[in-house]
Amino acid sequence: MRILVTGGAGFIGSALCRRLVLQSGHEVVNLDKLTYAANLASLDLIRDSDRAHLHHFVHGDIADVPLVTSLLQKHEIDAVIHLAAESHVDRSIDGPSVFIETNVLGTSKLLGAVTSYWNGLAVSRKANFRFLHVSTDEVFGDLPFDASLFNETTPYAPSSPYSASKAASDHLVRAWHETYGLPTIISNCSNNYGPFHFPEKLIPLVILNALEGKKLPVYGTGANVRDWLFVEDHARALELIVSKGRPGETYLIGGNSERTNLEVVQKICDLLDEYVPNTEGSTRRALISFVTDRPGHDRRYAIDASKIRAELGWSPSMTFDDGLRQTVRWFLENELWWRPIGEGTYRGDRLGKTGAAH
């Protein structure tokens, strides 16, 4: 397949590009605006491989309709996987307008360009074309501390400007399918983690702060629960959905790995103590501090992934304990990737204001 991936220099996007090119041999056009959380170094494994010719990076904006149109036509694209988005809740609270511009307006312009291109395809190619919109479980809002799970029919109830902007983009994608017939699919995933994760998010932030002996601020009491999905399992799911998923459908992708935020932070501390013991003999759990909770902080997210399991045969292959251990080891072994971010010598702003652990 010839696939246009938007946001392919980001955390999930780069994992997807590595999978599509290096493991499956698809041709990928990677369109990324290179905002602060994008990192071209996350694509070095492709650049240094014998399949580098299958990956075409383009620095650009999904809202640039002439650019998107030219890429679709030039590369005769068979599918679009749309990941480009602003995605950090704390940043959306401080500055919601950029989330609306990128996630809502940007998605609408992308949909318009793709629909025009799709309408001009030959009948057979038009029938096989797919537009996969990658979203989040946060659009469903808050779950209580019980056995309930999000599924594909859960009503939307976003709590933050970020999740509201993603909910809006989901609705636009669904409307384009119903109104214009564009063969769209939506996926909603739980919290991703793994190698190449930008260090403003919980797991990499805790790893790097703990390595440097900094405080590990945790919101509230740390009781908030998240379902954790290893990023490479997510990339595998997205490839399955874009190739075998049914247009007009939604698929939820979860890791079946619920943990409280405090449990995650404590586990990271224990792994670092195992791999890099403090010379003073103290444990890194002593760095944990509790701070005032953020506004609109959802208690719990958890996903029922039975639909994608039944229809496409996908299930997570990585347990959380194994995935977290692998992630911690990767950060310990890849300082050349993350050090420039903290030092401000990397494209985008400094690590700076990252907020507390989710």
Side-chain angles (χ1 to χ4, degrees):
M1 297 176 71
R2 294 179 295 273
I3 303 172
L4 172 63
V5 175
T6 71
F11 171 46
I12 300 172
S14 63
L16 177 64
C17 289
R18 292 192 300 271
R19 177 174 182 86
L20 293 175
V21 173
L22 298 178
Q23 295 181 243
S24 302
H26 296 298
E27 185 173 354
V28 170
V29 178
N30 181 348
L31 176 62
D32 199 294
K33 194 176 179 180
L34 294 181
T35 54
Y36 76 95
N39 192 342
L40 290 175
S42 301
L43 301 164
D44 284 351
L45 290 173
I46 299 176
R47 183 199 63 189
D48 298 336
S49 76
D50 59 3
R51 290 186 169 179
H53 63 286
L54 296 176
H55 179 255
H56 313 282
F57 179 77
V58 179
H59 181 194
D61 191 339
I62 57 171
D64 186 341
V65 172
L67 173 62
V68 172
T69 300
S70 69
L71 294 176
L72 292 165
Q73 294 174 344
K74 175 183 176 181
H75 296 276
E76 299 182 328
I77 295 297
D78 300 310
V80 175
I81 305 180
H82 176 36
L83 297 106
E86 294 288 340
S87 65
H88 194 252
V89 174
D90 286 357
R91 286 179 182 263
S92 80
I93 294 171
D94 291 340
S97 61
V98 68
F99 286 74
I100 296 167
E101 291 166 7
T102 298
N103 299 353
V104 183
L105 299 179
T107 297
S108 70
K109 291 185 178 181
L110 177 67
L111 283 166
V114 172
T115 302
S116 296
Y117 166 77
W118 173 72
N119 279 326
L121 294 177
V123 173
S124 60
R125 289 195 61 210
K126 191 174 183 180
N128 292 323
F129 186 88
R130 296 291 182 269
F131 182 102
L132 171 56
H133 175 65
V134 181
S135 189
T136 171
D137 58 0
E138 296 191 37
V139 299
F140 303 120
D142 188 34
L143 280 176
F145 296 122
D146 58 18
S148 58
L149 300 170
F150 296 137
N151 61 40
E152 286 77 8
T153 63
T154 300
Y156 279 37
S159 302
S160 71
Y162 160 60
S163 57
S165 69
K166 288 299 290 184
S169 65
D170 289 8
H171 291 320
L172 288 174
V173 171
R174 189 169 286 108
W176 250 255
H177 174 74
E178 296 296 331
T179 301
Y180 305 108
L182 185 69
T184 65
I185 307 172
I186 297 171
S187 65
N188 300 89
C189 68
S190 54
N191 280 33
N192 279 223
Y193 71 102
F196 300 100
H197 204 174
F198 187 75
E200 72 177 352
K201 298 299 178 75
L202 173 61
I203 288 177
L205 175 64
V206 171
I207 292 171
L208 300 186
N209 278 4
L211 277 176
E212 297 182 4
K214 297 179 180 178
K215 288 289 187 182
L216 306 177
V218 176
Y219 281 133
T221 63
N224 302 73
V225 172
R226 299 295 181 259
D227 174 30
W228 291 97
L229 173 66
F230 194 63
V231 69
E232 293 175 13
D233 276 336
H234 188 194
R236 178 167 54 88
L238 295 178
E239 183 182 15
L240 271 173
I241 293 170
V242 82
S243 58
K244 298 181 180 180
R246 293 182 291 137
E249 294 294 320
T250 295
Y251 296 90
L252 266 59
I253 310 168
N256 193 29
S257 296
E258 288 186 59
R259 300 288 190 282
T260 68
N261 290 334
L262 182 58
E263 287 173 333
V264 172
V265 175
Q266 290 173 334
K267 182 65 174 178
I268 293 170
C269 290
D270 295 345
L271 286 169
L272 289 173
D273 288 344
E274 175 185 339
Y275 289 128
V276 192
N278 271 327
T279 55
E280 301 86 359
S282 60
T283 68
R284 289 183 171 85
R285 288 194 181 202
L287 299 171
I288 296 172
S289 62
F290 297 97
V291 298
T292 303
D293 209 350
R294 74 179 177 209
H297 196 182
D298 293 327
R299 290 168 294 178
R300 175 174 169 260
Y301 305 138
I303 276 180
D304 174 2
S306 57
K307 179 177 178 178
I308 189 173
R309 183 182 301 110
E311 289 194 12
L312 305 181
W314 178 90
S315 61
S317 63
M318 184 70 74
T319 67
F320 181 73
D321 286 346
D322 288 345
L324 188 62
R325 180 174 291 273
Q326 182 173 321
T327 301
V328 169
R329 287 185 62 88
W330 185 89
F331 274 91
L332 290 174
E333 295 167 0
N334 288 273
E335 185 173 351
L336 288 176
W337 182 87
W338 56 260
R339 178 64 68 183
I341 300 174
E343 293 176 348
T345 58
Y346 151 87
R347 179 187 297 274
D349 61 6
R350 293 177 61 88
L351 189 54
K353 183 179 180 182
T354 55
H358 303 275

